[in-house]
């Protein structure tokens, strides 16, 4: 809102109505137009530090009852580990293999022993030396939507995932400061051959972004390739790889109570090089978990504890993240629902479980909306509030998730950036210095006046408050004259502008060439159809 001392009403007249009327009209629209004329108005790079104390949604006794029930499930019912190598490791470390099956039962003391070996924090690094994050403390790290089979925008509609959209979404991940890491393939580049897709996709991650890397645990070959591409792309040796985390992966259990072969191979290979695995049961209450929240939490926790214990048996002290993805289904259709009261409650409870075990936690910014509309906004807002109040550390699918994860939406990504920026700004402490307390400004204005033209206001005109990326603060007349744009249309304009302003980060030419040589070699060997030579 633009005001000058020469145009401000005098203290003697104090015309309150005209001042408020002016605040609702041309001043704000002028400021909005002025902001729209330059670069995108995003917040500067800063860490997402959670200033809110975590909520104890359940009592300590209730959390302990979930823990004890989970141990009972693992002792009496067990969990399937669908890989002979896993069964061998588990047996060697004292677990019981049910004869003629892949079902493993755990003595409660064995589970307690191995989950205690998980480090409470670890450092995650990107190839940019400034991209360093401490996982497990107050910081929340955020990545974009990942693994969506489809994408959409207002211009080209709903379509299958492809390499062009994949790379453009990576550019947006790099461009926006709210994103801390690459959370996977924002959309599946389905036009690339499946056996070599991971090679091209991994090279693109490193070429287009200098934020921490991601690999897919879809069998031994793919995760080994991801680890080697990451190592070459960052120019680090084998020993350096063991010191800190440079890439993450997600392992989902096949709920209820199973862990399949490709996921097991991912755990084994990542543990061997001490890179973090986000172990996430996919427990939708009413479908893959009981139709009660406490039952779903027991199912989630039992699957997580068994998988966590297994990873520590592979390599004690290997970093990992406990992932929660417990929501509910629509009992009429069976469709997954997200951003629900149930999702919020299970995320809050999961945060308490993570604090009990001293293990970093992950959840997701999820929604079930089919369009970039009010439902998408409020379901995502509920999801993100559960993060903040639950003390969660890793935000998967932080922006762009639509249609229950089936679509990576360019416009929804921008809507989520706006929401995330609001959270970031909300976490900034209130300035309490003498100038901010503004006693001189209060003395200057006196009784019944206004602060539009005060020296204190004019000195802070550009910096006093958060300026939105998407929100349109024009009055109805000015908004109507501009064509009555909706939120999705504002988001459409912003992502296009972001792509136009994107600058590819520098990458050491020797590292880039090393990655390209490896990709070509593995492509010639058949990609995922063969193990890389260094696996021997």
């Amino acid at each position: 809102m633009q005001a000058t001392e020469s145009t401000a009403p005098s203290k003697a007249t104090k015309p309150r109505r005209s001042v408020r009327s002016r605040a609702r009209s041309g001043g704000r629209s002028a400021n909005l137009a002025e902001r729209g004329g330059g670069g995108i108005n995003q917040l500067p790079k800063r860490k997402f530090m959670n200033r809110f104390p975590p909520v104890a949604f359940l009592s300590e006794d209730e959390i302990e009852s979930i823990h004890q029930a989970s141990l009972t499930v693992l002792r009496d019912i067990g969990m399937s580990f669908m890989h002979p190598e896993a069964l061998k490791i588990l047996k060697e470390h004292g677990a019981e293999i049910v004869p003629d099956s892949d079902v493993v039962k755990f003595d409660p003391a064995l589970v307690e022993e191995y989950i205690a070996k998980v480090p409470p924090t670890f450092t995650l690094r990107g190839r940019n030396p400034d991209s360093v994050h401490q996982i497990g403390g107050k910081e929340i790290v955020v990545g974009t939507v990942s693994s969506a089979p489809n994408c959409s925008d207002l211009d080209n509609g709903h379509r299958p995932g492809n390499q062009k959209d994949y790379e453009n979404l990576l550019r947006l991940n790099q461009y926006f400061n709210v994103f801390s890491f690459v959370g996977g393939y924002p959309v599946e580049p389905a036009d690339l051959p499946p056996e070599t897709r991971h090679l091209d996709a991994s090279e693109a991650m490193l070429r287009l972004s200098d934020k921490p890397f991601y690999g897919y645990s879809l069998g031994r070959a793919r995760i080994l390739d991801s680890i080697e591409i990451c190592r070459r792309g960052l120019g680090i040796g084998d020993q350096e790889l063991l010191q800190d985390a440079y890439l993450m992966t997600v392992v989902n259990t096949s709920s209820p109570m199973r862990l399949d072969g490709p996921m097991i191979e991912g755990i084994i290979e990542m543990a061997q090089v001490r890179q973090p695995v986000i172990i996430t049961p996919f427990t939708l209450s009413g479908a893959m978990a009981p139709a009660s929240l406490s039952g779903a939490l027991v199912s989630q926790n039992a699957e997580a504890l068994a998988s966590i214990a297994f990873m520590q048996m592979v390599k004690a002290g290997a970093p990992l993240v406990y992932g929660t993805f417990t929501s509910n289904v629509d009992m009429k259709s069976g469709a997954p629902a997200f951003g629900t009261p149930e999702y919020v409650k299970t995320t809050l409870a999961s945060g308490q479980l993570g604090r009990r075990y001293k293990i970093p936690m992950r959840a997701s910014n999820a929604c079930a909306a089919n369009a970039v509309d009010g439902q998408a906004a409020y379901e995502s807002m509920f999801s993100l509030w559960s993060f903040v109040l639950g003390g969660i550390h890793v935000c998967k699918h932080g922006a762009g998730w639509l249609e229950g994860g089936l679509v990576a939406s360019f416009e929804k990504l921008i809507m989520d950036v706006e929401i995330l920026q609001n959270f970031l700004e909300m976490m900034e402490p209130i300035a309490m210095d003498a100038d901010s307390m503004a006693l001189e400004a209060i003395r200057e204005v006196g009784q019944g006046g206004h602060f539009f033209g005060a020296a204190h206001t004019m000195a802070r005109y550009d910096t006093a408050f958060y300026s939105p990326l998407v929100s349109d603060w024009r009055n109805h007349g000015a908004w109507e004259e501009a064509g009555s744009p909706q939120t999705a249309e504002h988001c459409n304009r912003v992502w296009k502008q972001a792509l136009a302003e994107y600058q590819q980060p520098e990458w050491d030419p020797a590292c880039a060439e090393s990655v390209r040589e490896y990709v070509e070699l593995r492509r010639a060997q058949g990609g995922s159809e063969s193990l890389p030579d260094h696996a021997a």
Side-chain angles (χ1 to χ4, degrees):
M1 173 169 43
Q2 185 120 24
T4 64
E5 291 191 42
S6 60
T7 59
S10 68
K11 286 173 59 177
T13 56
K14 301 175 184 175
R16 300 174 191 172
R17 288 178 183 266
S18 62
V19 169
R20 284 199 294 265
S21 174
R22 188 163 164 263
R24 290 194 297 265
S25 58
R28 279 185 176 171
S29 62
N31 190 25
L32 190 70
E34 183 178 293
R35 288 192 291 105
I40 288 177
N41 193 34
Q42 67 165 317
L43 292 176
K45 288 183 180 179
R46 67 171 77 142
K47 294 192 185 298
F48 194 155
M49 305 303 293
N50 191 350
R51 291 175 57 86
F52 285 82
V55 168
F57 189 72
L58 299 180
S59 69
E60 289 185 11
D61 288 345
E62 288 169 331
I63 288 295
E64 189 62 23
S65 69
I66 291 172
H67 173 65
Q68 293 299 330
S70 304
L71 295 180
T72 299
V73 168
L74 294 178
R75 182 193 66 199
D76 297 346
I77 300 169
M79 180 163 166
S80 289
F81 283 77
M82 303 166 68
H83 199 292
E85 189 175 354
L87 297 177
K88 181 175 182 291
I89 292 168
L90 288 158
K91 185 176 182 180
E92 288 173 348
H93 287 81
E96 175 193 349
I97 313 301
V98 175
D100 302 318
S101 78
D102 57 15
V103 175
V104 181
K105 294 185 177 180
F106 296 80
D107 183 271
L110 186 68
V111 177
E112 298 271 20
E113 175 187 354
Y114 279 96
I115 64 174
K117 297 179 185 295
V118 180
T121 63
F122 62 88
T123 302
L124 180 66
R125 299 181 182 275
R127 65 179 180 84
N128 183 334
D130 295 331
S131 188
V132 181
H133 305 277
Q134 196 72 17
I135 310 300
K138 290 290 186 182
E139 185 178 1
I140 301 174
V141 295
V142 183
T144 59
V145 60
S146 63
S147 306
N150 305 297
C151 56
S152 71
D153 61 58
L154 292 183
D155 300 286
N156 299 299
H158 189 289
R159 55 195 181 276
N162 58 84
Q163 186 179 15
K164 179 182 177 182
D165 287 317
Y166 168 77
E167 294 196 355
N168 277 336
L169 288 163
L170 285 177
R171 292 182 176 98
L172 294 176
N173 179 289
Q174 173 70 14
Y175 178 90
F176 284 106
N177 295 328
V178 294
F179 301 128
S180 319
F181 69 102
V182 178
Y185 305 171
V187 69
E188 191 73 20
D191 52 346
L192 297 176
E195 65 275 5
T196 57
R197 183 181 302 160
H198 67 290
L199 301 170
D200 295 310
S202 296
E203 186 275 337
M205 278 187 202
L206 286 166
R207 173 168 42 87
L208 299 173
S209 176
D210 57 13
K211 297 178 181 180
F213 185 74
Y214 187 92
Y216 274 90
S217 292
L218 298 174
R220 180 165 271 122
R222 287 186 176 90
I223 195 61
L224 284 172
D225 283 336
S226 294
I227 293 168
E228 182 63 11
I229 288 171
C230 177
R231 191 188 66 77
R232 288 170 177 250
L234 275 64
I236 57 177
D238 294 337
Q239 288 304 309
E240 194 173 357
L241 188 66
L242 296 172
Q243 300 307 310
D244 280 323
Y246 294 93
L247 76 158
M248 292 197 291
T249 190
V250 166
V251 161
N252 290 118
T253 59
S254 301
S255 305
M257 304 308 297
R258 294 193 310 177
L259 189 61
D260 67 28
M263 298 288 103
I264 287 169
E265 291 178 355
I267 287 178
I268 291 172
E269 297 303 333
M270 289 286 280
Q272 294 287 6
V273 292
R274 295 186 178 275
Q275 296 302 297
V277 176
I278 305 172
I279 294 176
T280 308
F282 191 71
T283 40
L284 292 177
S285 183
M288 293 87 79
S292 62
L293 296 190
S294 56
L297 284 166
V298 169
S299 182
Q300 168 197 289
N301 200 48
E303 293 177 21
L305 293 184
S307 304
I308 290 167
F310 169 67
M311 184 167 175
Q312 295 306 301
M313 291 175 185
V314 176
K315 181 72 72 175
L320 60 83
V321 177
Y322 178 154
T324 173
F325 206 80
T326 296
S327 192
N328 56 292
V329 296
D330 179 358
M331 297 303 287
K332 301 180 184 68
S333 67
F338 299 104
T340 62
E342 291 78 14
Y343 180 82
V344 172
K345 288 190 280 188
T346 57
T347 302
L348 295 176
S350 296
Q352 290 179 261
L353 289 167
R355 290 191 292 280
R356 187 205 182 282
Y357 303 131
K358 298 182 175 62
I359 297 176
M361 292 296 297
R362 163 259 166 129
S364 298
N365 174 14
C367 72
N370 290 290
V372 184
D373 58 8
Q375 179 185 341
Y378 65 70
E379 288 180 348
S380 285
M381 185 65 83
F382 279 128
S383 294
L384 289 168
W385 264 117
S386 72
F387 257 90
V388 171
L389 298 181
I392 305 299
H393 307 102
V394 178
C395 179
K396 279 280 289 176
H397 310 297
W401 169 295
L402 209 60
E403 294 184 31
L406 295 177
V407 166
S409 163
F410 282 77
E411 284 81 26
K412 177 61 162 51
L413 185 144
I414 301 303
M415 175 190 280
D416 289 326
V417 169
E418 177 79 290
I419 296 172
L420 289 163
Q421 286 201 152
N422 273 271
F423 272 101
L424 268 172
E425 191 68 10
M426 188 172 59
M427 296 298 175
E428 286 294 290
I430 295 175
M432 298 299 294
D433 58 282
D435 186 53
S436 298
M437 298 284 278
L439 292 182
E440 288 305 314
I442 296 169
R443 184 176 289 111
E444 174 190 345
V445 172
Q447 297 78 24
H450 63 80
F451 288 81
F452 290 134
H456 184 270
T457 302
M458 301 312 298
R460 294 160 176 262
Y461 169 74
D462 286 324
T463 60
F465 310 119
Y466 172 72
S467 295
L469 192 69
V470 174
S471 295
D472 191 334
W473 290 347
R474 291 175 286 198
N475 65 20
H476 184 269
W479 170 76
E480 199 170 42
E481 287 175 10
S484 308
Q486 302 291 310
T487 297
E489 294 170 271
H490 289 302
C491 293
N492 180 268
R493 169 184 53 80
V494 172
W495 72 254
K496 290 176 181 175
Q497 186 176 348
L499 286 181
E501 295 178 7
Y502 163 84
Q503 294 183 342
Q504 188 167 310
E506 293 183 2
W507 188 13
D508 183 275
C511 293
E513 182 59 28
S514 179
V515 168
R516 280 191 287 270
E517 288 176 357
Y518 183 81
V519 168
E520 289 304 318
L521 172 65
R522 291 291 294 132
R523 183 181 286 112
Q525 293 174 346
S528 62
E529 300 299 310
S530 67
L531 286 175
D533 294 336
H534 64 273

